[in-house]
Amino acid sequence: MSNARLTAIGMAVPHKAVPNSWFESFLETSDEWILSRTGIRTRYHASENEFTSDLCVRAAQDLSEKFGVDLSDVDMILVSTVTPDQPMPSMACRVQHRLDIKKSGALDLYAACAGFSYGIVVAKGLIAGGLHKKILVFGAETLSRVTDFTDRTSCVLFGDGAGAVLIEADETGNVGHCVTGASGEGGADLYISGFAHEIDGHELKMNRCIVQNGRKVFKWAVTTVATEMKNLAAMNNLTLDQVDWFVPHSANLRIIEAICNESGFPFSKVLESVVDFGNTSSASIPIALYQGIMNGKVKKGDKIMLIGFGGGLAYAGTIIEW
Ligand code: UT7
């Protein structure tokens, strides 16, 4: 059985930075409210002609340049997104074509803010099963396209961006045991509407925008993630003290603080991307990890716990050793 090693990482965001003050021009809100309730200072919004596949391609190019890796022999591409350029073809196929990777499988994953972590789990499984050797995993979103800019409780949160990691078959490996789970009964607490008009009897708003019950998702996230942190550490024969960095999905700085309070994990050992990039859903974990690696916080050999959580409601996580 082959082990999986995360060997390289890249990221991309659109060029247009959107400060909190922008929302003050058309909504009853303030920089002070957004900062104190969410921690967010800036997010990035895609331009009219910029889409999720564009961000994926730029993130892969960044990965290739920063780590000097050749992507031509990648044999599987996994893209986690809830905001594809279009439902078909998949983003993975768009990326495979645009990066000119000749012999690769291509598959999109659909697990919202847990999607990138699920991507790592799937990549690890494909490598362990001997099916693939070199896998590109993306978390990429243009959430500004599905944001309801009349809803002040949600529109200030979301941003656009992409992260990419390379997972390779390797004798020793650095991707540890994983957790996955779902609380599907919370489906109507966080959704983007589609063909069906209801979830479990809850009538949906049909405007193809993100709709959320922020408080319910907040509470679910804190309880679930704090419990799974302990499970994940134990599965990997570690105590939480031995984990050097925690990279939760960056939904809201207050959620992360509450998870730390609940689990006893120090907030000073968190890598987040929400302050500078907003909630970028499946891109938030790779962006936070990338920032931590590039600014020198993460050192060789550090043990890093990743847990994605969100729409579904669903979660997934693992521990990697950098
Ligand atoms: O990626 C995963 C998906 N989403 C999440 O994880 C989101 C989880 N939830 C959250 O992040 C938070 O619940 C929110 C940021 C969405 C809201 O923060 P909150 O502290 O839970 O606020 P609240 O919903 O309890 O609202 C408090 C007050 C309300 O006013 P009243 O009813 O007390 O008069 C809101 O109307 O804040 C008001 N409010 C705002 N005021 C100014 C809500 N949004 C805004 C706003 N500006 N943008």
Side-chain angles (χ1 to χ4, degrees), residues 27-30 33-34 37-38 113 152-154 156-158 190 212-215 217-218 221 249-252 254-255 279 281 309-311:
L27 277 179
E28 204 178 312
T29 189
S30 64
W33 191 96
I34 300 170
R37 292 299 188 124
T38 71
C113 309
R152 68 175 183 167
T153 67
S154 69
V156 299
L157 303 175
F158 303 115
L190 182 52
Q212 67 173 3
N213 183 334
R215 282 189 186 185
V217 177
F218 194 124
H249 163 50
S250 270
N252 177 335
R254 281 175 48 234
I255 296 184
N279 177 346
S281 189
F309 58 87

Side-chain angles (χ1 to χ4, degrees), residues 271-286:
L271 300 175
E272 57 76 24
S273 57
V274 72
V275 173
D276 294 331
F277 302 96
N279 177 346
T280 53
S281 189
S282 56
S284 87
I285 289 179

Side-chain angles (χ1 to χ4, degrees), residues 93-155:
C93 282
R94 296 288 298 136
V95 169
Q96 181 260 341
H97 168 61
R98 291 181 59 190
L99 293 175
D100 198 25
I101 298 172
K102 302 281 189 221
K103 290 184 181 165
S104 176
L107 176 70
D108 283 6
L109 300 171
Y110 208 70
C113 309
F116 174 78
S117 312
Y118 265 102
I120 304 270
V121 175
V122 172
K124 181 180 162 78
L126 292 174
I127 286 173
L131 298 170
H132 293 276
K133 287 193 163 57
K134 194 165 176 181
I135 304 181
L136 263 178
V137 180
F138 294 87
E141 306 287 357
T142 43
L143 294 178
S144 60
R145 291 224 158 70
V146 290
T147 297
D148 178 355
F149 286 100
T150 65
D151 176 9
R152 68 175 183 167
T153 67
S154 69
C155 74

Side-chain angles (χ1 to χ4, degrees), residues 23-176:
F23 295 92
E24 293 173 351
S25 62
F26 61 94
L27 277 179
E28 204 178 312
T29 189
S30 64
D31 175 42
E32 195 276 328
W33 191 96
I34 300 170
L35 200 52
S36 63
R37 292 299 188 124
T38 71
I40 299 168
R41 290 180 187 278
T42 324
R43 73 289 288 141
Y44 291 79
H45 285 175
S47 62
E48 206 182 324
N49 296 316
E50 198 171 33
F51 298 92
T52 297
S53 65
D54 299 313
L55 297 177
C56 288
V57 168
R58 282 179 46 213
Q61 287 165 341
D62 181 51
L63 175 153
S64 177
E65 280 163 25
K66 292 271 175 11
F67 289 83
V69 286
D70 174 19
L71 298 178
S72 62
D73 58 345
V74 161
D75 59 11
M76 175 56 92
I77 298 169
L78 301 172
V79 179
S80 161
T81 187
V82 292
T83 46
D85 307 4
Q86 63 280 313
M88 186 172 69
S90 69
M91 292 304 89
C93 282
R94 296 288 298 136
V95 169
Q96 181 260 341
H97 168 61
R98 291 181 59 190
L99 293 175
D100 198 25
I101 298 172
K102 302 281 189 221
K103 290 184 181 165
S104 176
L107 176 70
D108 283 6
L109 300 171
Y110 208 70
C113 309
F116 174 78
S117 312
Y118 265 102
I120 304 270
V121 175
V122 172
K124 181 180 162 78
L126 292 174
I127 286 173
L131 298 170
H132 293 276
K133 287 193 163 57
K134 194 165 176 181
I135 304 181
L136 263 178
V137 180
F138 294 87
E141 306 287 357
T142 43
L143 294 178
S144 60
R145 291 224 158 70
V146 290
T147 297
D148 178 355
F149 286 100
T150 65
D151 176 9
R152 68 175 183 167
T153 67
S154 69
C155 74
V156 299
L157 303 175
F158 303 115
D160 302 339
V165 294
L166 191 61
I167 312 270
E168 299 184 72
D170 174 87
E171 259 177 38
T172 50
N174 67 357
V175 180

